[in-house]
Amino acid sequence: MSELLSQIATCVERGKISVAAPFPLDLKGAPGADELTAAALAEGIAPQDILSKGLVVGMYNVGEKFRCNKVFIPDVLMSAKAMYAGMKHLRPFFQSGQVQRKGTLVIGTAAGDLHDIGKNLVAMIVEGGGWEVVDLGVDVPLDKFVKAVESNPGCSVGISTLLTTTMSNMQKITAALKEKFPGISVIIGGAPITKEFADKIGAGYSADPQGAVSFLNSGK
Ligand code: B1M
């Protein structure tokens, strides 16, 4: 069992989607996350183990390498594709409740901000970390965050921004969410954001996607 799960983790980490995928070159012709996840289910390995000991491990590894600049955005995108190829087999088990997620993160960019590359990377790595992600997209106004929180009780909220001019919107959204949903956990990030700014507005902070997973896992 552990051999199959470690192969799944390697496929996700290396971005090997399926047997037909030509990338990475040294794994050409080998089964990918798609076939290996199906094989693991056929062998009777618990879907929860496939998620937490296979797919999540692969995304964790690539997230750590990204944090240390050992891999780059295209590598993370390939890993996410491999993860989704495996996840597709697990979806029915999520829906039936047999596989539990760690929680839900509602994420979007602050009102006025259209930059979504960083936010998308965070969403993918958080999902790969075992969390349900509700992605509200870009230029998200307060009322859209509020509706999403009401529809996902107990969720955390992530806000990303790349513009200094939209940091004030981030601050307003965070303050309003905290007032409306006392105790809600909000994490912010993006190039102009600092820990000091996050502390000032009462939000959690991470400079990178893997740090966002650690923050969510810490239950803060
Ligand atoms: Co714009 N842009 N842009 N842009 N753009 C920047 C951000 C800018 C720094 C360029 C510059 O002037 N040197 C500048 C902002 C200056 C400032 O405010 N300080 C700028 C500007 C001014 C603008 C416009 C105003 C330009 C104009 O129209 N005059 C305009 C604004 C539009 C709007 O949002 N309303 C604009 C438009 C655009 C494009 C649409 C053309 C395009 C965005 C495409 C897209 O995202 N779909 C774009 C791009 C691509 C950039 C640059 C070149 C790259 C941004 C990026 O994707 N980085 C950028 C200059 C640069 O950075 N070199 C620039 C890669 C990405 C992976 O990094 O998003 O930082 P990042 O995410 C990181 C971390 O920050 C962190 O994790 C990610 C992965 O490590 N992170 C989080 C991010 N969110 C997080 C959330 C978390 C935790 C961690 O928790 C929730």
Side-chain angles (χ1 to χ4, degrees), residues 66 73 107 112-119 121-122 158-160 162-165 187-191 206-209 212:
F66 183 65
I73 293 174
I107 192 168
D113 194 335
L114 301 176
H115 296 86
D116 68 354
I117 300 171
K119 183 268 295 169
L121 288 173
V122 173
I159 315 173
S160 170
L162 271 265
L163 297 171
T164 44
T165 47
I187 174 170
I188 62 172
S206 170
D208 53 56

Side-chain angles (χ1 to χ4, degrees), residues 151-170:
S151 311
N152 295 278
C155 69
S156 300
V157 172
I159 315 173
S160 170
T161 203
L162 271 265
L163 297 171
T164 44
T165 47
T166 46
M167 286 169 68
S168 56
N169 291 343
M170 193 177 231

Side-chain angles (χ1 to χ4, degrees), residues 80-195:
K81 282 193 174 189
M83 175 192 74
Y84 289 131
M87 285 275 214
K88 133 188 124 196
H89 298 282
L90 300 186
R91 271 210 209 281
F93 301 95
F94 289 126
Q95 278 149 8
S96 69
Q98 282 181 65
V99 179
Q100 295 295 325
R101 305 272 191 138
K102 293 177 183 167
T104 301
L105 176 71
V106 166
I107 192 168
T109 73
D113 194 335
L114 301 176
H115 296 86
D116 68 354
I117 300 171
K119 183 268 295 169
N120 292 343
L121 288 173
V122 173
M124 284 185 275
I125 291 183
V126 167
E127 187 174 1
W131 288 75
E132 173 87 39
V133 173
V134 176
D135 189 345
L136 303 180
V138 296
D139 186 17
V140 183
L142 171 64
D143 65 326
K144 207 166 163 189
F145 276 111
V146 168
K147 278 189 195 130
V149 173
E150 283 168 349
S151 311
N152 295 278
C155 69
S156 300
V157 172
I159 315 173
S160 170
T161 203
L162 271 265
L163 297 171
T164 44
T165 47
T166 46
M167 286 169 68
S168 56
N169 291 343
M170 193 177 231
Q171 181 165 7
K172 284 179 201 146
I173 293 167
T174 303
L177 288 176
K178 290 206 159 255
E179 193 184 333
K180 195 163 173 53
F181 307 101
I184 192 168
S185 168
V186 178
I187 174 170
I188 62 172
I193 306 303
T194 59
K195 169 96 172 62

Side-chain angles (χ1 to χ4, degrees), residues 167 188-207 215 220:
M167 286 169 68
I188 62 172
I193 306 303
T194 59
K195 169 96 172 62
E196 289 67 38
F197 177 72
D199 287 345
K200 186 179 132 201
I201 71 169
Y205 167 72
S206 170
F215 175 85
K220 280 185 199 154

Side-chain angles (χ1 to χ4, degrees), residues 17-72:
I17 301 166
S18 65
V19 69
F23 176 86
L25 273 181
D26 62 311
L27 295 180
K28 202 171 172 188
D34 190 353
E35 294 81 16
L36 292 172
T37 303
L41 284 171
E43 247 188 42
I45 299 177
Q48 185 73 58
D49 287 340
I50 299 174
L51 178 69
S52 59
K53 298 178 185 167
L55 299 169
V56 169
V57 174
M59 279 310 279
Y60 175 83
N61 291 343
V62 80
E64 280 299 313
K65 285 185 170 172
F66 183 65
R67 188 211 284 264
C68 306
N69 295 323
K70 288 184 181 155
V71 300
F72 303 100

